[in-house]
Amino acid sequence: MDNTKAIQPTTTNADDDKPFASNGSVESLNREFDGTANLTINKGTILIPTPTADPRDPLNLTTSHKYIILGILIVYAVSGLCLVTALGALIVFFMDDYKKEGITKAQISGLLTYPSLFLGVGNIFSMPLAISIGRRPVLLLSLIMLFISGILCATNQNFAWHLAARCVAAFSAAQCMALVLLIIQDIFFLHQRGRTFQLFSSFEVLLNSTLTIVSSYMVEALGWRSWYWLFTAVSGFCFVLAFFFVPETAYTRPLSAYMGTDPPEFVATTDEGNAPEEINRSSDAPCIEPLTTLSERKLNTEIYEPRTFGSDMRVFVVKPDFRRAITTWKQMCTIWVFPHVLWISLMNAFFQGTDICIQITYGSTLVSPPYNWENTTVSLIQIGQIIVALLSIPIIGWFSDALILREARKSKGVHEPEHRLPPLVAPLLICVLMTVIYGFAVQYPEKFHWFAIAFTVNIWLFLLLAASTVGTTYLLDAHPARAGAILVVIPVTRGLVGFGISYHTVEYVSAIGAAKTFGILSGIMTIFGIVGLGFYWKGKRIRHYFSRWAN
């Protein structure tokens, strides 16, 4: 067995000469895990989950291969989510045609709202399937369905066909919201999640916005069906990439691998070069220092099979067990009622619904007096989203990971999931203010510059990205054994509640005016922020209480 150089046993953090968190000690490996973990020791960052010496362990993929996978998942998300959610800037191209056929504006808005519902519902079926048979077959099946639904959208003959095809596309693209994050979690460590989740989200938005801008001019020249053909081609290309470069990433690990105390398989040989000594987990034996970013890691090809091109090409790696699907559904129902999970889920859902309300209203406002924008010009508003997406990488992603490392070192090496929450504060405060302004700008456009609308549309992306990255990493840090269930309840809640909020947007605005409509939404946003303060200060107690049902 190939092993690392000698690792000196230790039970303390040399930086502070204080013991690890009690829930991660050797004596308590079998206790309930509430998310509090050991993240730093000396100058190193502990690798969570603890990687094995297995070459086929997805955590042992090369860094370049991991980022290739991340890039393919971004293209996958663009091919799905952009097709479904980026219709706001292009809906003006066929609105007049549908109105001539007797389709009302509220019905046309259903091309955005109903698919948003299916984006959430699709995960109820796809995630349990991914847990039961593996990530890779579900990913490939999703891409095939997305390719077919793109063709259906491009060849539709009437509004009903168009709406149905978009719902199928949304159902196919649902995995872009949950499965991809599960794959990212499978291959990256805890201290890398903030940046990798944000890289995924930001580049998905960046490509989404760029393609939307380009598409508007393509649609002007070639017709709006060409937009669907574009994303049909992208999804087909992504299928080829995923087939050759995205291996199965499911891997069974003990709960102790997420505590930051698990003794590594990469245990040193003796000075005489003899076989490695067995790890003694008794309370009388010294604790072997866990693997860190400074540890030397070598893979074991004697007791494990090597990773090969053939092994990566296998579609079905996980032995199918559909009982896991039933278990996942049970876990989804259980964990959804955890107060902190419910808060994150409802908050993301409400923000998503509010953003859809903005997406439904901003295009028609800008093409109407006094702004009188051209249809193609409306899509140029997406340029601001490119800027916001790029700025979010350091402001949300890198800052989130740097913050938890700093807080862990201040806390004697101990990481608390609540340390993920502060990057949400600034985006929320800004968007509360801008949403109020947006409502008045839509209702009284003659009194406001178009920038009030354009800035709100773009800055809302900042909040959506922050809520998604911060909320998801917070819950995954707290309950890693329930990652599949967590990654379903967030988009499902987002889809259902977001649909409910946005479905009657046109009627709300007509009945009480845009100023009151968006003013009410701003007030509810503020309530979510106040509740978040409570979770920041008291969230650990809540996590600890509910951990008995999450391990």
Side-chain angles (χ1 to χ4, degrees):
M1 178 176 181
D2 288 329
N3 299 289
T4 64
K5 60 187 179 181
I7 301 176
Q8 297 300 321
T10 180
T11 57
T12 63
N13 183 330
D15 284 345
D16 303 287
D17 197 30
K18 297 291 183 181
F20 283 148
S22 60
N23 75 327
S25 66
V26 174
E27 296 85 349
S28 58
L29 283 174
N30 294 322
R31 294 183 184 178
E32 293 169 357
F33 177 52
D34 62 2
T36 299
N38 298 311
L39 185 57
T40 62
I41 181 171
N42 300 326
K43 296 182 179 180
T45 299
I46 297 173
L47 299 180
I48 302 175
T50 305
T52 67
D54 183 359
R56 296 187 183 184
D57 184 339
L59 289 173
N60 290 328
L61 288 167
T62 64
T63 301
S64 59
H65 194 168
K66 290 181 180 182
Y67 279 98
I68 288 173
I69 293 173
L70 181 62
I72 294 172
L73 296 178
I74 291 170
V75 176
Y76 168 45
V78 170
S79 67
L81 295 182
C82 187
L83 184 149
V84 175
T85 63
L87 198 67
L90 301 175
I91 202 169
V92 293
F93 285 97
F94 48 75
M95 183 175 289
D96 291 338
D97 292 338
Y98 281 143
K99 283 183 177 179
K100 292 177 182 178
E101 297 175 10
I103 308 299
T104 66
K105 186 175 180 180
Q107 289 176 308
I108 296 172
S109 69
L111 292 171
L112 271 171
T113 56
Y114 282 107
S116 296
L117 172 64
F118 278 88
L119 272 176
V121 173
N123 289 292
I124 297 177
F125 302 95
S126 62
M127 182 59 75
L129 190 62
I131 299 297
S132 299
I133 67 175
R135 286 53 152 160
R136 179 170 164 82
V138 176
L139 175 66
L140 296 178
L141 177 61
S142 170
L143 282 164
I144 293 173
M145 291 180 59
L146 193 58
F147 179 79
I148 295 173
S149 61
I151 295 175
L152 292 174
C153 287
T155 58
N156 78 83
Q157 300 300 311
N158 52 56
F159 177 80
W161 182 341
H162 190 185
L163 177 60
R166 283 184 57 79
C167 289
V168 174
F171 187 85
S172 307
Q175 291 67 245
C176 301
M177 306 178 69
L179 179 61
V180 293
L181 298 181
L182 185 62
I183 294 174
I184 292 172
Q185 185 198 239
D186 287 341
I187 62 178
F188 288 98
F189 297 104
L190 183 148
H191 69 280
Q192 301 170 326
R193 280 184 199 154
R195 75 193 74 169
T196 50
F197 280 8
Q198 192 55 56
L199 280 169
F200 167 78
S201 298
S202 290
F203 276 95
E204 181 268 320
V205 169
L206 191 153
L207 293 176
N208 186 321
S209 300
T210 302
L211 286 174
T212 301
I213 294 171
V214 173
S215 297
S216 64
Y217 292 95
M218 181 179 69
V219 168
E220 182 76 13
L222 303 175
W224 58 266
R225 294 178 190 274
S226 62
W227 187 67
Y228 286 119
W229 285 119
L230 171 64
F231 289 104
T232 300
V234 173
S235 62
F237 176 64
C238 188
F239 173 83
V240 175
L241 292 177
F243 183 82
F244 286 104
F245 296 105
V246 183
E248 180 58 62
T249 61
Y251 199 88
T252 303
R253 304 182 194 281
L255 190 61
S256 58
Y258 300 92
M259 297 180 178
T261 57
D262 211 20
E265 283 190 318
F266 307 88
V267 179
T269 57
T270 63
D271 293 338
E272 290 77 19
N274 297 327
E277 300 173 352
E278 287 200 13
I279 300 172
N280 188 336
R281 292 176 181 261
S282 68
S283 58
D284 296 329
C287 177
I288 301 297
E289 181 178 303
L291 284 173
T292 73
T293 50
L294 303 179
S295 302
E296 180 183 349
R297 292 161 53 198
K298 293 182 180 180
L299 304 180
N300 187 327
T301 56
E302 295 182 11
I303 64 173
Y304 293 110
E305 296 182 57
R307 179 180 293 275
T308 64
F309 179 76
S311 68
D312 283 353
M313 289 301 99
R314 293 179 301 164
V315 176
F316 294 97
V317 178
V318 176
K319 183 179 180 181
D321 184 355
F322 292 98
R323 290 174 298 179
R324 298 194 196 107
I326 297 175
T327 300
T328 303
W329 281 319
K330 291 179 179 178
Q331 292 172 354
M332 288 161 49
C333 295
T334 300
I335 205 165
W336 190 78
V337 298
F338 290 10
H340 48 305
V341 177
L342 189 61
W343 168 62
I344 291 292
S345 300
L346 289 178
M347 180 175 65
N348 271 273
F350 183 81
F351 291 171
Q352 179 72 30
T354 303
D355 183 63
I356 294 175
C357 293
I358 293 173
Q359 296 293 324
I360 291 173
T361 53
Y362 86 85
S364 57
T365 301
L366 291 175
V367 298
S368 302
Y371 303 123
N372 297 315
W373 283 26
E374 297 292 334
N375 288 348
T376 53
T377 307
V378 172
S379 65
L380 294 178
I381 205 172
Q382 300 285 332
I383 294 176
Q385 300 211 350
I386 296 175
I387 298 172
V388 172
L390 291 174
L391 290 177
S392 295
I393 296 173
I395 295 176
I396 299 174
W398 263 268
F399 174 58
S400 174
D401 287 340
L403 181 64
I404 64 168
L405 290 176
R406 188 191 71 177
E407 293 298 320
R409 288 192 164 88
K410 287 171 58 179
S411 303
K412 320 306 182 199
V414 177
H415 166 61
E416 303 288 359
E418 286 73 27
H419 295 161
R420 292 280 191 185
L421 297 179
L424 184 59
V425 175
L428 180 58
L429 292 176
I430 295 172
C431 284
V432 167
L433 174 63
M434 291 310 305
T435 303
V436 174
I437 294 175
Y438 178 83
F440 280 95
V442 171
Q443 186 165 340
Y444 309 106
E446 68 281 355
K447 298 181 179 180
F448 290 84
H449 192 272
W450 59 262
F451 187 75
I453 296 175
F455 184 76
T456 303
V457 171
N458 289 305
I459 202 62
W460 249 93
L461 174 65
F462 189 33
L463 179 58
L464 291 178
L465 292 175
S468 178
T469 298
V470 170
T472 303
T473 52
Y474 166 56
L475 294 183
L476 291 179
D477 287 4
H479 306 296
R482 294 292 178 265
I486 287 170
L487 293 175
V488 173
V489 298
I490 293 177
V492 168
T493 306
R494 185 160 50 203
L496 293 173
V497 177
F499 172 79
I501 293 172
S502 61
Y503 180 64
H504 292 292
T505 298
V506 176
E507 288 85 346
Y508 295 154
V509 173
S510 299
I512 63 175
K516 287 185 178 179
T517 299
F518 288 97
I520 293 172
L521 295 175
S522 298
I524 299 175
M525 289 167 58
T526 303
I527 294 174
F528 276 112
I530 294 173
V531 172
L533 290 176
F535 280 109
Y536 180 75
W537 296 111
K538 300 297 182 180
K540 182 174 180 177
R541 291 185 180 180
I542 297 173
R543 278 191 292 109
H544 182 73
Y545 179 80
F546 285 93
S547 64
R548 68 193 70 182
W549 295 288
N551 293 321

